[in-house]
Amino acid sequence: MTESVALCVSVNGDPRSIAAGTTLETLVSTLTTAHSGIAAAVNEAVVPRSRWATAALADGDRIEVLTAVQGG
């Protein structure tokens, strides 16, 4: 029997449980459907979009996802 391992991370300051092996790309896709104007950081280090698909998240990671907003 295979058990699913859950990790506890912080997303924009809120605790969240995610499956082991979740990538930054997968997590971001659950937060927004925007295809541009998004930046992400893991443990205060910006992760380039080109690395999101391979950036596996770990227990205790602190993730910040920001979206650009126009306005004045």
Side-chain angles (χ1 to χ4, degrees), residues 11-34:
V11 179
N12 294 342
D14 295 323
R16 181 180 285 241
S17 181
I18 62 171
T22 298
T23 64
L24 183 57
E25 181 176 68
T26 300
L27 178 65
V28 170
S29 72
T30 68
L31 301 174
T32 181
T33 58

Side-chain angles (χ1 to χ4, degrees), residues 26-53:
T26 300
L27 178 65
V28 170
S29 72
T30 68
L31 301 174
T32 181
T33 58
H35 296 285
S36 63
I38 304 167
V42 177
N43 301 323
E44 292 82 38
V46 174
V47 179
R49 183 181 287 265
S50 62
R51 292 190 38 228
W52 288 6

